């Protein structure tokens, strides 16, 4: 992409970014010339605040999307059937939506400044994932760590955090002030699970650790069975 000065590309509706050929790769926050569509930090800086949404890829797009450390002034949606690789931190001034299978290639922090964080497919990769959503909701629709367990999973939101499927990670920690809905039946960690917010159970649930504690700092509710297995923890 041709670089321009900061804020030189502006608008108030959705900005859609993808290669002309839907099978080609996209790299965000990388070097110039690394992919069919490469958006460097300078390219992204040229996108002024004001778009209702920035979309990269599309439902019909099959090229791989790689995301390095980037910062967008608006909400961001990434969509492809070719998979998304997260290799850095992502900051937006609105919601972040990951519509495809996500692989963690590095420890990453996602910051949305009170926008919702939505993961519509699976997440895998033995890396730490920290989410700072402010008052925005955090929603995991697919299995988390199904083929490769995540590293430490840290979820900071005063809204609702929802697990709709099974979770496997080194540890899980939520912050106080919001709530966590465990609807996916199992949360499995090698280390501790610490729920600092109110927990609701949407299904019979098993929380398992490898000789580490499971801690509920606030309430646990709903008429569902709860099994906690901590070994010697």
């Amino acid at each position: 992409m041709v670089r321009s000065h900061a804020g030189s590309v502006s608008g108030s509706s959705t900005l859609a970014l993808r290669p002309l050929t839907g099978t080609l790769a996209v790299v965000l926050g990388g070097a110039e010339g690394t992919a069919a569509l490469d958006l460097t930090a300078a390219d992204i800086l040229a996108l002024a605040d004001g778009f209702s949404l920035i979309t990269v890829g599309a439902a019909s797009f099959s090229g791989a999307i790689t995301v390095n450390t980037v910062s967008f002034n608006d909400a961001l949606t990434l969509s492809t059937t070719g998979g998304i690789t997260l290799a850095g931190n992502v900051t937006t001034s609105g919601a972040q939506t990951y519509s495809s299978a996500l692989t963690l290639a590095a420890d990453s922090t996602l910051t949305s400044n009170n926008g919702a964080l939505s993961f519509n497919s699976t997440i895998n990769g033995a890396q730490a994932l920290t989410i700072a959503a402010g008052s925005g909701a955090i929603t995991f629709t697919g299995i988390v760590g199904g083929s490769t367990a995540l590293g430490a999973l840290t979820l900071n939101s005063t809204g609702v955090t929802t697990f709709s499927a099974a979770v496997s990670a080194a540890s899980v920690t939520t912050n106080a002030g919001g709530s966590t809905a465990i609807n996916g039946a199992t949360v499995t960690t090698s280390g501790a699970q610490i729920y600092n917010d109110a927990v609701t159970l949407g299904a019979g649930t098993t929380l398992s650790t490898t000789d580490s504690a499971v801690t509920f700092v606030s309430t646990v509710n709903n008429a569902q069975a709860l099994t906690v297995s901590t070994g010697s923890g």
Side-chain angles (χ1 to χ4, degrees):
M1 182 172 177
V2 178
R3 293 177 182 169
S4 223
H5 65 271
S8 62
V9 180
S10 61
S12 58
S13 57
T14 298
L15 175 64
L17 302 172
R18 57 182 178 270
L20 289 175
T21 301
T23 58
L24 299 178
V26 174
V27 175
L28 304 182
E32 195 78 41
T34 55
L37 175 60
D38 50 73
L39 294 176
T40 66
D43 294 331
I44 295 169
L45 188 62
L47 305 178
D49 185 12
F51 292 102
S52 60
L53 176 65
I54 295 173
T55 64
V56 178
S60 59
F61 180 67
S62 61
I65 299 176
T66 300
V67 186
N68 298 293
T69 294
V70 291
S71 181
F72 285 86
N73 292 315
D74 300 290
L76 177 67
T77 293
L78 304 178
S79 182
T80 178
T81 60
I84 301 167
T85 299
L86 185 60
N89 304 325
V90 179
T91 301
T92 58
S93 61
Q96 295 180 32
T97 302
Y98 298 84
S99 297
S100 313
L102 181 66
T103 299
L104 304 180
D107 293 349
S108 300
T109 297
L110 308 180
T111 304
S112 65
N113 292 296
N114 300 318
L117 264 292
S118 300
F119 302 91
N120 297 341
S121 187
T122 58
I123 306 176
N124 286 287
Q127 308 290 338
L129 178 62
T130 299
I131 298 177
S135 60
I138 303 172
T139 304
F140 298 95
T141 300
I143 296 173
V144 176
S147 59
T148 304
L150 272 58
L153 181 59
T154 303
L155 306 171
N156 298 317
S157 170
T158 57
V160 180
T161 296
T162 303
F163 294 116
S164 297
V167 177
S168 295
S171 62
V172 174
T173 304
T174 68
N175 69 327
S179 62
T180 296
I182 302 176
N183 302 330
T186 62
V187 178
T188 303
T189 56
S190 54
Q193 297 180 34
I194 303 173
Y195 301 93
N196 285 296
D197 52 3
V199 173
T200 61
L201 305 178
T205 299
T206 299
L207 307 179
S208 302
T209 72
T210 304
D211 299 330
S212 294
V214 174
T215 303
F216 300 98
V217 177
S218 186
T219 57
V220 181
N221 284 293
N222 277 9
Q224 303 290 343
L226 174 62
T227 300
V228 178
S229 176
T230 62
S232 62

